Protein backbone atom coordinates (compact mmCIF):
# COMPACT_ATOMS: atom_id res chain seq x y z
CA UNK A 1 0.00 0.00 0.00
CA UNK A 2 1.40 3.37 -1.05
CA UNK A 3 1.07 5.93 1.68
CA UNK A 4 2.65 8.76 3.61
CA UNK A 5 2.04 8.77 7.33
CA UNK A 6 2.73 11.70 9.61
CA UNK A 7 3.24 11.17 13.33
CA UNK A 8 4.64 12.93 16.36
CA UNK A 9 1.99 15.56 16.84
CA UNK A 10 0.38 16.31 20.15
CA UNK A 11 -0.20 18.90 22.83
CA UNK A 12 2.79 20.91 23.97
CA UNK A 13 3.25 24.05 26.06
CA UNK A 14 4.57 27.26 24.52
CA UNK A 15 8.33 27.11 24.28
CA UNK A 16 8.30 23.34 24.00
CA UNK A 17 9.45 21.05 21.22
CA UNK A 18 8.05 18.31 19.02
CA UNK A 19 9.52 16.20 16.26
CA UNK A 20 7.21 15.24 13.46
CA UNK A 21 7.91 12.25 11.24
CA UNK A 22 6.79 11.61 7.69
CA UNK A 23 7.20 7.95 6.84
CA UNK A 24 6.61 6.46 3.42
CA UNK A 25 5.52 2.95 2.62
CA UNK A 26 5.23 1.35 -0.79
CA UNK A 27 7.71 3.76 -2.35
CA UNK A 28 11.03 5.42 -1.57
CA UNK A 29 11.52 9.05 -0.59
CA UNK A 30 15.15 9.13 -1.76
CA UNK A 31 14.54 10.92 -5.04
CA UNK A 32 11.67 13.10 -3.92
CA UNK A 33 11.48 16.57 -2.52
CA UNK A 34 9.48 16.54 0.69
CA UNK A 35 7.48 19.45 1.97
CA UNK A 36 5.77 20.13 5.26
CA UNK A 37 2.61 22.20 5.26
CA UNK A 38 0.21 23.22 7.97
CA UNK A 39 -3.37 24.37 8.20
CA UNK A 40 -4.77 26.20 11.17
CA UNK A 41 -8.53 26.43 11.78
CA UNK A 42 -10.10 28.96 9.46
CA UNK A 43 -6.88 29.52 7.53
CA UNK A 44 -5.44 28.34 4.26
CA UNK A 45 -2.80 25.66 4.17
CA UNK A 46 0.68 27.14 4.15
CA UNK A 47 4.14 25.83 3.37
CA UNK A 48 6.37 25.38 6.40
CA UNK A 49 9.51 23.72 5.08
CA UNK A 50 10.91 21.63 2.28
CA UNK A 51 13.96 19.45 1.74
CA UNK A 52 15.33 18.88 -1.72
CA UNK A 53 16.34 15.46 -2.97
CA UNK A 54 18.89 16.78 -5.44
CA UNK A 55 21.24 18.66 -3.13
CA UNK A 56 19.69 18.37 0.31
CA UNK A 57 18.84 22.03 0.24
CA UNK A 58 16.29 23.19 2.77
CA UNK A 59 13.69 25.92 2.71
CA UNK A 60 11.67 27.49 5.50
CA UNK A 61 8.81 29.88 5.92
CA UNK A 62 9.89 33.11 7.57
CA UNK A 63 7.60 32.38 10.50
CA UNK A 64 9.55 29.25 11.45
CA UNK A 65 13.14 30.10 10.48
CA UNK A 66 15.52 29.51 13.34
CA UNK A 67 12.96 27.38 15.21
CA UNK A 68 12.18 24.50 12.86
CA UNK A 69 14.59 22.13 11.17
CA UNK A 70 13.88 19.61 8.42
CA UNK A 71 15.97 16.51 7.80
CA UNK A 72 15.74 13.17 6.08
CA UNK A 73 16.85 9.67 6.95
CA UNK A 74 16.85 7.72 3.72
CA UNK A 75 17.58 4.38 5.36
CA UNK A 76 14.38 4.79 7.39
CA UNK A 77 12.51 6.26 4.43
CA UNK A 78 11.47 9.11 6.70
CA UNK A 79 11.62 12.89 6.79
CA UNK A 80 11.56 14.77 10.08
CA UNK A 81 10.49 18.21 11.16
CA UNK A 82 12.06 19.27 14.44
CA UNK A 83 10.03 22.07 15.95
CA UNK A 84 11.51 24.08 18.82
CA UNK A 85 10.37 27.17 20.69
CA UNK A 86 6.80 26.43 19.72
CA UNK A 87 4.24 29.20 19.84
CA UNK A 88 0.46 29.20 20.03
CA UNK A 89 0.37 30.31 16.41
CA UNK A 90 2.08 27.07 15.38
CA UNK A 91 -1.10 25.22 16.27
CA UNK A 92 -2.33 23.46 13.14
CA UNK A 93 -2.66 20.17 11.35
CA UNK A 94 0.70 19.40 9.79
CA UNK A 95 0.96 17.54 6.50
CA UNK A 96 3.86 16.17 4.53
CA UNK A 97 3.82 15.84 0.78
CA UNK A 98 6.06 14.73 -2.08
CA UNK A 99 7.27 16.62 -5.12
CA UNK A 100 9.67 16.04 -7.97
CA UNK A 101 10.20 19.68 -8.84
CA UNK A 102 10.33 21.83 -5.72
CA UNK A 103 12.58 24.86 -6.14
CA UNK A 104 13.54 27.81 -4.01
CA UNK A 105 10.79 29.95 -5.55
CA UNK A 106 8.03 27.33 -5.65
CA UNK A 107 8.54 24.99 -2.72
CA UNK A 108 5.70 26.49 -0.68
CA UNK A 109 3.07 26.12 -3.41
CA UNK A 110 0.63 23.29 -2.85
CA UNK A 111 0.21 22.56 -6.54
CA UNK A 112 3.89 21.59 -6.77
CA UNK A 113 3.17 18.52 -4.63
CA UNK A 114 1.68 15.30 -5.84
CA UNK A 115 1.05 13.01 -2.90
CA UNK A 116 -0.08 13.95 0.59
CA UNK A 117 -0.33 12.37 3.98
CA UNK A 118 -3.38 12.60 6.23
CA UNK A 119 -1.86 15.03 8.69
CA UNK A 120 -1.04 15.15 12.39
CA UNK A 121 -2.43 17.65 14.87
CA UNK A 122 -0.07 19.96 16.73
CA UNK A 123 -1.54 22.02 19.54
CA UNK A 124 0.53 24.57 21.42
CA UNK A 125 -1.23 25.68 24.55
CA UNK A 126 -0.64 26.20 28.24
Amino acid sequence: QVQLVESGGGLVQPGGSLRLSCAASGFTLDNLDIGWFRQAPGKEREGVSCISSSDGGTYYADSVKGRFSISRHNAKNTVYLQMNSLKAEDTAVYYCATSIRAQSTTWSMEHEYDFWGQGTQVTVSS
Side-chain angles (χ1 to χ4, degrees):
Q1 185 177 4
V2 176
Q3 60 179 350
L4 274 177
V5 178
E6 301 94 337
S7 62
L11 174 63
V12 63
Q13 293 186 343
S17 298
L18 284 174
R19 188 178 77 161
L20 304 184
S21 298
C22 172
S25 59
F27 66 104
T28 179
L29 296 179
D30 291 14
N31 297 317
L32 296 171
D33 308 317
I34 306 300
W36 282 98
F37 287 75
R38 66 186 181 186
Q39 187 167 23
K43 295 187 177 181
E44 293 186 354
R45 191 154 52 183
E46 63 174 349
V48 174
S49 183
C50 174
I51 186 165
S52 168
S53 64
S54 59
D55 59 4
T58 57
Y59 310 107
Y60 297 95
D62 288 343
S63 59
V64 306
K65 278 181 182 176
R67 299 189 299 122
F68 290 12
S69 177
I70 191 170
S71 61
R72 65 196 308 153
H73 194 309
N74 287 339
K76 293 186 177 181
N77 212 24
T78 300
V79 170
Y80 302 101
L81 185 68
Q82 178 67 43
M83 308 187 298
N84 299 327
S85 302
L86 283 162
K87 305 175 181 180
E89 50 263 45
D90 295 318
T91 295
V93 178
Y94 283 72
Y95 302 88
C96 63
T98 66
S99 174
I100 58 172
R101 54 192 175 276
Q103 300 179 36
S104 60
T105 56
T106 63
W107 71 267
S108 63
M109 299 178 183
E110 288 187 58
H111 64 260
E112 293 294 310
Y113 294 81
D114 308 298
F115 191 63
W116 294 76
Q118 294 301 305
T120 185
Q121 175 70 47
V122 171
T123 302
V124 184
S125 175
S126 55

